[in-house]
Amino acid sequence: MIMIEDVHFAYDGIYTALQGVSLQIEKGECVAIMGTNGAGKTTLVKHMNGLLRPQHGRVIVDGADAKNLSIAELSRIVGLVWQNPDHQLFLDSVRKEIEFGLKNLGFTPEETDAQCTQTLKNLGLEGLAERSPFALSGGERKRVALATVLATEPQVLALDEPTIGQDAQQKELLARMLMDLNDRGRTVIVVTHDIEFVIEHFPRTIAMAEGRIVADGSTSSVLSNEDVLERCSLTLPQLTVAARALHKAFPQVSERLTLLSELEDAVSGILGGTQ
Amino acid sequence: MALVEFADFSFKYLGADSLALRKVSASVNEGEYVVITGPSGCGKTTLCRTANGLVPHFHRGYIAGNVFIDGQNTRDATVAKLASTVGLVFQNPANQLVTLNVEKELAFGPENLGVVPEEVRQRVEEIIDLLNLEHLREKHPHEMSGGEQQRVAMGATLALKPKVLVADEPTSNLDPRSAELILDIIANLNKRNGMTVILVEHRLDLVAKDASRIILMDKGQIIADGIPRDVLSMDISSEIGVGIPKATQVYKRLQAKGIELSRVPLTGEELALLVGEAKRR
Ligand SMILES: Nc1ncnc2c1ncn2[C@@H]1O[C@H](COP(=O)(O)OP(=O)(O)OP(=O)(O)O)[C@@H](O)[C@H]1O
Ligand SMILES: Nc1ncnc2c1ncn2[C@@H]1O[C@H](COP(=O)(O)OP(=O)(O)OP(=O)(O)O)[C@@H](O)[C@H]1O
Ligand SMILES: [Mg+2]
Ligand SMILES: [Mg+2]
């Protein structure tokens, strides 16, 4: 679905951001991109819908070389949500903001209405439809920016830091919506620093540092590799820390537990007899 | 009187239909480290804005009750005056950055407070060193990555050497190691220099160990205020969607099954320790 071949990019020709990035993402995959601040994650996803163009290398989207497609054409395939919602919102009501994208893509008035209502509901924004996006909290603004893209259900969703400003419940709602779109064949790509969000929902992780991909593989293997964690400024998932600490004291507990229920069962197993 | 005192304070933004803060009362003493958490839209940012006078002087609206900073009613003080006591790190770092390069950004605050040039230069170098900003020194604040901007925004506020640091989700754009680093720096300034800290955070696993108190908000009100272990293990915290540390979640599940540990763990290591202790009992 998306193929990136040896892409290099430097802002103004001098500030190096990508130094030879290659990756392939198949249709229907769910992929997380993680790594050091300034590693080039945002720069990379902006190449996927043509906001930035490679200075060297190629970007292939749905079989076509992106250089032959306009931003408008690419945006129909790849819906990008920006890291900072301020760069994305410009109308005077939340509803208009969501309808704008739908109308642009040729949805009928009925479809526009239905998608808008459903997306507002899914992201916990029901009460805010008539509000100005400029009079919202930070987390609410981010959800509106997400809604404008999620409502159009593009083939590829590229979301830059979607969990910023979200509480645990909102993250869960967002994950549910993404997994539902994925079940219906959409490719989901997120850039995020949220380790727990990744380990719970994304089977594949790409870890970056200094404009390069350092690791690309199953989330559990990438996020347990100390060398990768060190180079990409990542830390171990909370449950892995707990499992490793328990394993030290009680070798029968596997250090590889990744679910809350597994950890709970392990501790019940240890203490069950003593209560 | 406490260093920061919210006294029955209510606020409604101009043009809004409902109150963003409803009769909020809380006091923060010098040297405390208070974490504010609660669902998106509950009023955390609005509360931060009251502490440095942006509410009501910049964000206008209906107000009732009072906020006192170091004994001064914020209704009577200017934002510039309050800036000598309270430093605010904005939720969206891009909105805080106003100058043309990082070095100038770090100097901007202290210069406006009237700090002498020599000391301004010294503070800038200290912050560049402390927050690893050397490679960004000459960069334009709006031509950087989100995480880089957030570090600079924190640096610019710390350069004020505020008596009270108010930081609104200061780790939201940071990679996990940088988040730990910045939070360690804040915890150190709190412990060593006695800087009072009020910090908004959803990821409580990151800050519970440093905080002396957690204030839990919902719908513009404070619904719980206590030590981290108590607040995080309350049922209401999980019900309204607070980011409870995984170790605390395991504790809660075990408790529901009748298995008691001697205290509420905040980290995986602490959980393992308590399980070991319970096994030996
Ligand atoms: N507009 C710009 N002009 C100049 N340099 C830029 C610009 N935007 C980003 N950069 C630089 O390019 C590099 C990559 O930035 P990018 O935003 O892609 O990083 P990132 O991995 O998304 O980081 P973060 O996790 O902090 O969001 C960084 O060194 C950054 O300073
Ligand atoms: N400028 C504004 N004008 C009108 N209403 C506003 C404005 N800013 C925020 N609000 C509303 O006030 C309430 C509190 O917002 P606030 O930004 O304090 O929430 P928050 O707890 O910081 O949320 P988040 O975690 O999403 O940042 C919300 O209902 C929000 O929609
Ligand atoms: Mg980025
Ligand atoms: Mg906020």
Side-chain angles (χ1 to χ4, degrees), chain B residues 1 4-10 23-26 47 50 56 63-69 72-76:
Chain B
M1 190 184 262
V4 178
E5 181 88 38
F6 303 100
D8 243 357
F9 191 76
S10 301
K23 290 188 175 276
V24 169
S25 289
L47 192 68
T50 66
I63 61 175
N66 296 291
V67 178
F68 299 95
I69 302 295
Q72 263 200 89
N73 193 326
T74 59
R75 289 175 185 245
D76 309 326

Side-chain angles (χ1 to χ4, degrees), chain A residues 208-226:
Chain A
M208 293 183 67
E210 292 176 10
R212 295 194 174 86
I213 293 179
V214 173
D216 179 354
S218 78
T219 294
S220 55
S221 68
V222 171
L223 292 185
S224 60
N225 183 328
E226 307 268 355

Side-chain angles (χ1 to χ4, degrees), chain B residues 22 50 56 73 89 92 152 157 174 190 199 210 232 248 260 265 268:
Chain B
R22 296 162 195 267
T50 66
N73 193 326
V89 184
N92 188 341
V152 173
T157 304
L174 299 183
N190 170 251
L199 191 137
D210 301 322
L232 292 176
T248 311
E260 283 287 347

Side-chain angles (χ1 to χ4, degrees), chain A residues 131 135 137-140, chain B residues 13 20 40-46 91 169 202:
Chain A
R131 296 266 297 272
S137 79
E140 289 164 349
Chain B
Y13 286 97
S40 172
C42 73
K44 303 179 294 297
T45 296
T46 308
Q91 178 165 10
E169 300 197 34
H202 287 296

Side-chain angles (χ1 to χ4, degrees), chain A residues 54-97:
Chain A
Q55 290 160 349
H56 176 93
R58 287 202 305 169
V59 176
I60 312 282
V61 175
D62 205 9
D65 193 324
K67 77 168 183 231
N68 301 321
L69 301 170
S70 67
I71 299 185
E73 286 167 321
L74 282 166
S75 297
R76 280 172 192 268
I77 310 173
V78 182
L80 178 74
V81 177
W82 294 53
Q83 183 164 357
N84 186 346
D86 287 1
H87 299 151
Q88 204 166 347
L89 303 176
F90 53 94
L91 296 172
D92 64 7
S93 96
V94 169
R95 182 185 297 281
K96 283 186 200 159
E97 201 74 70

Side-chain angles (χ1 to χ4, degrees), chain A residues 128 131-132 134-143 164-167, chain B residues 11-21 36-49 59-60 91 168-169 200 202 217 219-220:
Chain A
L128 305 178
R131 296 266 297 272
S132 157
F134 296 93
L136 294 178
S137 79
E140 289 164 349
R141 278 172 70 68
K142 184 80 200 193
R143 293 206 295 288
I164 284 185
Q166 303 311 315
D167 60 63
Chain B
F11 182 73
K12 186 158 76 94
Y13 286 97
L14 205 67
D17 329 312
S18 59
L19 291 167
L21 296 175
I36 299 176
T37 196
S40 172
C42 73
K44 303 179 294 297
T45 296
T46 308
L47 192 68
C48 291
R49 288 172 176 160
H59 296 278
R60 300 190 169 271
Q91 178 165 10
D168 196 353
E169 300 197 34
V200 177
H202 287 296
M217 294 182 66
K219 302 192 178 83

